[in-house]
């Protein structure tokens, strides 16, 4: 059983490769390396001792994609490939829809052509927009405010429609909360290009001295300390959720669309994260509280109960573990994979 991992050289993809190999799945990584480096594959090899077939292919290139499906006996796809910056998506909507939607449609076409009907899709809590209450359950209303979010929501819709047309498909829509942390080896982790826009990579680059100071966006929210609250989840826990989803489909055989939150169910504020990071690493994080960032959700955390019930999966790593592992990666690789 060979699993194709699109975007397998990226942050969540690379951690998922390791967990799949550990669980004895054969994998093929497909990535166009637009936001990742192939050195990550050497690191995965170092950790797992496995040689991973790699295809430098863009999902919009039909011929190249067909060649990949011809070459390997693929039985399922875990689909991570896509652009992921909210801000960038507002300025470059065409690029985002082309990569994320056209790329996915092409992938589905080729899967259909080769009779591969098992797909795990990397969705996001962004699809809940601004939730009225927390914890967020899978049946909450869906809405988004930007092309990135739209691309996740549209992809969910497309995959739901594919299932309606053919009930043999097994599809998991995994809605991630805020992935942070890194592999315990310190060999792989998050390596954003340019200046990070997400909190943890920004914070860890301040800690390692690459950036001067963290800007905390908004200190006057209606929360205990005035800063936003998020459900930070260790990337390895998240990766294990994908293995559980594959195992579930393997055992179940019947078609289904499984829509699940992957989060811890715990909310921590931005300041709590900063203080925990300081305590764990002993590094002082200079920060200023500045204006709110437009579009930010105030409080977001998951109800992870459905994933636990259906997949027997539960996030295990603590906020302290997430900080410790982020720091190990960042301090050992101040310039990421370069
Ligand atoms: C963001 C995206 C979300 C996407 C996710 C991917 C927005 C509005 N949302 O989520 O759609 O799925 O990334 O990981 O961009 N913060 C600071 N200073 C910083 C960076 C962030 O104070 O330099 C704060 C933010 O205001 C927010 C919290 O930290 O309150 C988390 O921010 P971030 O890491 O960007 O994640 P989300 O906004 O939750």
């Amino acid at each position: 059983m060979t699993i194709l991992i699109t975007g397998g050289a990226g942050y969540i993809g690379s951690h998922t490769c390791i967990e799949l190999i550990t669980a004895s799945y054969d994998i093929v990584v497909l990535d166009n390396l637009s936001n990742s480096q192939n050195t990550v594959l050497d690191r995965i090899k170092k950790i797992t001792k496995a040689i991973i077939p790699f295809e430098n292919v863009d999902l919009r290139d039909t011929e190249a994609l067909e060649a990949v499906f011809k070459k390997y006996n693929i039985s399922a796809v875990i689909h991570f490939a896509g652009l992921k910056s909210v801000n960038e998506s507002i300025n470059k909507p065409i690029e985002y829809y082309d990569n994320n939607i056209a790329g996915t449609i092409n992938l589905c076409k080729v899967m259909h052509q080769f009779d591969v009907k098992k797909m795990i899709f990397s969705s996001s809590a962004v699809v809940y927009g601004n939730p009225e209450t927390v914890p967020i359950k899978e049946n909450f209303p869906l809405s988004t405010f930007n092309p990135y979010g739209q691309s996740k929501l549209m992809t969910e819709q497309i995959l739901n429609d594919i299932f309606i047309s053919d009930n043999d498909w097994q599809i998991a829509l995994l809605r991630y909360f805020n992935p942070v942390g890194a592999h315990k080896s310190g060999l792989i982790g998050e390596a954003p290009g340019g200046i990070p826009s997400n909190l943890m990579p920004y914070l860890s680059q301040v800690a390692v001295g690459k950036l001067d100071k963290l800007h905390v966006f908004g200190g006057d929210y209606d929360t205990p300390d005035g800063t936003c609250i998020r459900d930070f989840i260790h990337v390895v826990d998240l990766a294990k959720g994908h293995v559980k989803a594959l195992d579930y489909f393997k055992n179940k055989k019947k078609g289904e669309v499984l829509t699940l939150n992957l989060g811890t169910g715990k909310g921590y504020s931005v300041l709590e994260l900063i203080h925990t990071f300081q305590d764990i690493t002993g590094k002082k994080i200079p920060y200023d509280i500045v204006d709110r960032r437009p579009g930010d959700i105030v409080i977001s955390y998951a109800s992870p109960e459905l994933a636990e019930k259906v997949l027997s999966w539960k996030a295990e790593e603590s906020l302290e573990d997430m900080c410790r592992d982020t720091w190990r990666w960042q301090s050992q690789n101040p310039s990421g994979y370069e």
Side-chain angles (χ1 to χ4, degrees):
M1 183 164 183
T2 299
I3 316 296
L4 179 71
I5 320 291
T6 78
Y11 173 46
I12 304 172
S14 57
H15 287 82
T16 303
C17 288
I18 293 174
E19 297 310 315
L20 288 167
I21 294 166
T22 309
S24 301
Y25 282 100
D26 291 326
I27 63 169
V28 176
V29 168
L30 178 151
D31 205 299
N32 68 1
L33 301 177
S34 66
N35 193 23
S36 55
Q37 277 128 322
N38 57 5
T39 37
V40 72
L41 299 163
D42 301 331
R43 305 283 182 98
I44 298 174
K45 192 167 142 197
K46 208 164 168 184
I47 295 166
T48 61
K49 315 276 180 274
I51 293 168
I52 304 153
F54 172 66
E55 299 291 337
N56 185 347
V57 166
D58 189 299
L59 287 178
R60 293 161 296 183
D61 182 345
T62 309
E63 253 176 53
L65 195 55
E66 285 172 347
V68 171
F69 277 76
K70 267 187 206 132
K71 185 165 163 191
Y72 305 94
N73 188 17
I74 292 164
S75 50
V77 177
I78 306 188
H79 179 31
F80 294 103
L83 300 175
K84 62 173 187 182
S85 157
V86 169
N87 260 341
E88 194 181 53
S89 79
I90 294 166
N91 298 320
K92 300 178 177 173
I94 299 169
E95 220 172 287
Y96 269 67
Y97 288 123
D98 190 33
N99 262 281
N100 296 8
I101 302 293
T104 302
I105 290 176
N106 222 25
L107 173 63
C108 291
K109 273 189 198 161
V110 177
M111 286 175 72
H112 177 72
Q113 201 179 317
F114 285 82
D115 207 30
V116 178
K117 297 182 177 178
K118 225 187 281 277
M119 149 103 87
I120 296 179
F121 173 61
S122 172
S123 189
S124 161
V126 74
V127 300
Y128 295 113
N130 213 340
E132 269 175 33
T133 54
V134 279
I136 299 172
K137 291 196 171 149
E138 287 82 353
N139 61 3
F140 274 24
L142 305 177
S143 68
T144 59
F145 315 117
N146 49 68
Y148 162 75
Q150 288 291 0
S151 76
K152 292 293 178 195
L153 205 49
M154 285 177 187
T155 303
E156 287 200 359
Q157 184 64 52
I158 291 166
L159 295 174
N160 273 304
D161 288 340
I162 290 175
F163 174 75
I164 291 169
S165 75
D166 177 354
N167 290 175
D168 287 341
W169 278 74
Q170 295 182 311
I171 296 168
L173 310 175
L174 302 182
R175 296 176 176 161
Y176 311 153
F177 280 68
N178 288 60
V180 297
H183 192 260
K184 303 275 177 210
S185 62
L187 288 171
I188 65 166
E190 189 168 15
I195 297 182
S197 53
N198 295 117
L199 177 60
M200 187 61 121
Y202 201 107
L203 193 165
S204 63
Q205 291 198 13
V206 171
V208 85
K210 280 184 79 184
L211 296 167
D212 287 346
K213 184 181 271 194
L214 176 69
H215 306 285
V216 173
F217 300 135
D220 57 352
Y221 285 105
D222 187 13
T223 59
D225 66 20
T227 63
C228 293
I229 293 176
R230 291 291 182 274
D231 185 336
F232 300 103
I233 173 168
H234 198 295
V235 65
V236 173
D237 276 331
L238 198 65
K240 288 178 179 165
H242 295 72
V243 179
K244 288 285 192 176
L246 268 185
D247 291 345
Y248 173 87
F249 284 143
K250 201 166 68 180
N251 297 329
K252 189 161 179 257
K253 307 269 182 327
K254 262 187 72 189
E256 177 178 3
V257 179
L258 205 56
T259 304
L260 297 173
N261 287 339
L262 294 187
T264 66
K266 294 189 198 89
Y268 289 100
S269 75
V270 172
L271 287 182
E272 280 176 308
L273 179 71
I274 298 172
H275 293 143
T276 306
F277 192 95
Q278 289 188 147
D279 291 347
I280 289 292
T281 64
K283 300 297 280 187
K284 180 112 189 65
I285 307 296
Y287 68 86
D288 279 339
I289 297 188
V290 300
D291 287 348
R292 295 178 177 193
R293 181 171 71 177
D296 268 339
I297 308 303
V298 187
I299 305 179
S300 166
Y301 60 89
S303 161
E305 273 148 35
L306 192 59
E308 188 177 350
K309 193 170 134 208
V310 177
L311 300 182
S312 308
W313 167 91
K314 203 174 178 294
E316 283 163 359
E317 305 275 344
S318 66
L319 192 67
E320 285 79 7
D321 296 324
M322 301 178 211
C323 291
R324 192 177 297 115
D325 295 340
T326 298
W327 179 237
R328 188 181 302 113
W329 153 253
Q330 185 69 76
S331 55
Q332 291 177 13
N333 306 270
S335 305
Y337 292 107
E338 275 152 34

